[in-house]
Amino acid sequence: MLILSIESTCDETCAALVEDGRIVHVNVTYSQIAEHNKTGGVVPEVAARRHAEAITQVLEEALKQYGEKIGVLKNVKGNENDGNEEIGKESMKKIMEGIDAIAVAQGPGLLGCLMVGNNAASALSLMWEKPLIPVHHIEGHLYASWLREKDDERAGGDGDGDGDDGGDGDDGGDGDNREVEFPMLILTVSGGHNQLFLMEGHGKYKLLGETLDDAAGEAFDKVARMLGLGYPGGPEIQRIAANGNEANGFKPGDPFKYELPRAMMKNEHADEFNFSFSGLKTAMRTLILNLKVKGSNEFDQALPDVAASFEYTVCDTLLKKLRKAAELHGPKEIHIAGGVSANLRLRKMLEHTFASKGPKSDKGKPREIEIHYPALKFCTDNAAMLGSVAYFRYIADPEKYSTWENSVPNVGLKFH
Ligand code: KG4
Ligand code: ZN
């Protein structure tokens, strides 16, 4: 079953074609990051306008790439007129005939942004008489780690999520062919969400805990702003923590230099899986202020250590909770998802946290708990992840999705 999916919840306009919930044929992402970098964050009205401007081109690009792959369109790639070339009526008909359903992120997200994607999806569903499958954006993130690309040689990668699967070298996701095993624990760490789920089957979630204030990604973004770094903050903090800066001779930051507070970790919270990052944010503000008082040279020198200590503290807090939850619930697999799951320190520490359980690479012994994270391109917002959820939702209840009218944008959509 081939699904055309659309994502427009926040600052990325995306379209993808995914087969049977796992195989990504096409994945097109138009990112507005450069635009929002200027303002240090997403301005909803600006984001909505950019989606409106980009949606047709993004959809066209996805359909073109697919048309080319199946031989309906020839020589589109590399053709100088590529950008201006329209898909002819007959070709479009052939391409659309191969698509079984349309999926879209119904929410949560910014209203103006959601409207663009949902209107486009409804129009396509009506026009081409395809089922329309509305999907929860975060549920999409949960499915990102079992996507693999159609042309990816790595199919059958070693599945240990250690990033040595080969392939194009840009990811480290596991994307193999195996079936997923339930129950699994999934930690979502994105800009807007920070939740820990026990997933017992497709569509069956138990929310174990969530952030009481800022999500991990939001904390990265806000602290990066305090540090004078760009948006989005996560990659910026990772970069300066890992590579240092000129002022410190490009030495990596020391993650243990500053002891920072970890909330919700005391005994009385031992069996709770909620998170809180606002105290850490306040501690960062004070630390930064104190360093700035000492002078800009001092501050610049300290920056990599500050970034590394903050990054380490966030990762350590998340993983201690995850480990506790794993001890309590005995999952077969652990997945991390969402933008922050791209963080390399988090991935390394995750491997380390569960290494004692016997990694697969260790003399071929199976891991007791499999660890998985998405390929880098599927960590941040994308449409392919939505195509995956949509497939599993659809095959469980096809009747439910027969009308084009069933995706009304929902800013605060819940799914658990
Ligand atoms: O999942 P996502 O793309 O959008 C939401 O649904 O929120 O997540 C975006 C978040 C941003 O806060 C960004 O700073 C963070 O993910 N992020 C990272 C990294 N890459 C993106 N945080 C830490 N390290 C990274 N490498
Ligand atoms: Zn997201």
Side-chain angles (χ1 to χ4, degrees), residues 310-321:
F310 167 76
E311 189 183 43
Y312 174 79
T313 304
V314 173
C315 297
D316 189 51
T317 309
L318 293 169
L319 293 174
K320 288 221 162 85
K321 290 272 173 190

Side-chain angles (χ1 to χ4, degrees), residues 137 141 190-192 217-218 220-221 232-235 238 338-340 342-343 379-381:
H137 174 83
H141 278 300
S190 71
E218 200 177 349
F220 268 102
D221 292 338
Q238 173 175 299
V340 183
N343 186 272
C379 286
T380 45
D381 290 348

Side-chain angles (χ1 to χ4, degrees), residues 51-283:
H51 282 298
E53 285 159 6
I55 189 77
T56 315
Q57 285 169 52
V58 166
L59 277 164
E60 212 170 4
E61 176 61 24
L63 295 172
K64 258 187 200 173
Q65 285 187 18
Y66 185 63
E68 206 186 323
K69 283 194 171 178
I70 58 172
V72 169
L73 298 174
K74 301 246 182 306
N75 300 325
V76 172
K77 229 183 207 162
N79 181 334
E80 282 179 19
N81 296 324
D82 185 3
N84 303 323
E85 200 172 328
E86 285 183 9
I87 308 174
K89 250 190 187 165
E90 278 312 304
S91 301
M92 181 63 99
K93 213 169 144 199
K94 279 190 198 144
I95 293 168
M96 291 308 294
E97 268 167 15
I99 295 171
D100 299 295
I102 314 292
V104 63
Q106 184 181 21
L110 301 167
L111 183 62
C113 302
L114 289 170
M115 280 169 67
V116 174
N118 279 265
N119 287 347
S122 298
L124 284 169
S125 164
L126 173 67
M127 192 169 148
W128 296 97
E129 299 182 351
K130 309 281 178 194
L132 178 58
I133 312 164
V135 171
H136 192 286
H137 174 83
I138 298 301
E139 195 175 6
H141 278 300
L142 301 186
Y143 278 71
S145 64
W146 53 74
L147 290 170
R148 71 180 172 87
E149 290 197 275
K150 170 76 176 157
D151 304 325
D152 196 341
E153 300 282 327
R154 293 175 313 118
D158 65 15
D160 61 3
D162 58 5
D164 65 4
D165 291 357
D168 58 16
D170 94 323
D171 45 46
D174 42 50
D176 57 14
N177 277 320
R178 72 189 180 94
E179 283 304 313
V180 293
E181 283 193 272
F182 298 109
M184 60 173 71
L185 278 175
I186 310 188
L187 176 70
T188 61
V189 272
S190 71
H193 298 265
N194 204 161
Q195 293 158 316
L196 181 58
F197 292 101
L198 181 67
M199 186 173 176
E200 290 164 323
H202 290 295
K204 290 191 189 135
Y205 306 98
K206 211 176 260 170
L207 179 69
L208 302 179
E210 62 191 328
T211 182
L212 302 179
D213 38 60
D214 291 355
E218 200 177 349
F220 268 102
D221 292 338
K222 287 179 178 164
V223 167
R225 207 169 167 170
M226 291 179 208
L227 292 170
L229 302 172
Y231 171 86
E236 288 290 297
I237 286 181
Q238 173 175 299
R239 180 181 57 78
I240 204 123
N243 306 330
N245 61 8
E246 201 173 358
N248 85 332
F250 296 106
K251 268 200 328 258
D254 175 1
F256 307 110
K257 172 84 184 192
Y258 300 101
E259 174 120 21
L260 296 161
R262 290 156 174 75
M264 313 288 302
M265 304 298 285
K266 301 234 167 71
N267 276 344
E268 67 267 28
H269 298 295
D271 294 331
E272 282 178 26
F273 300 107
N274 288 330
F275 305 92
S276 165
F277 290 109
S278 68
L280 173 60
K281 210 175 57 189
T282 309

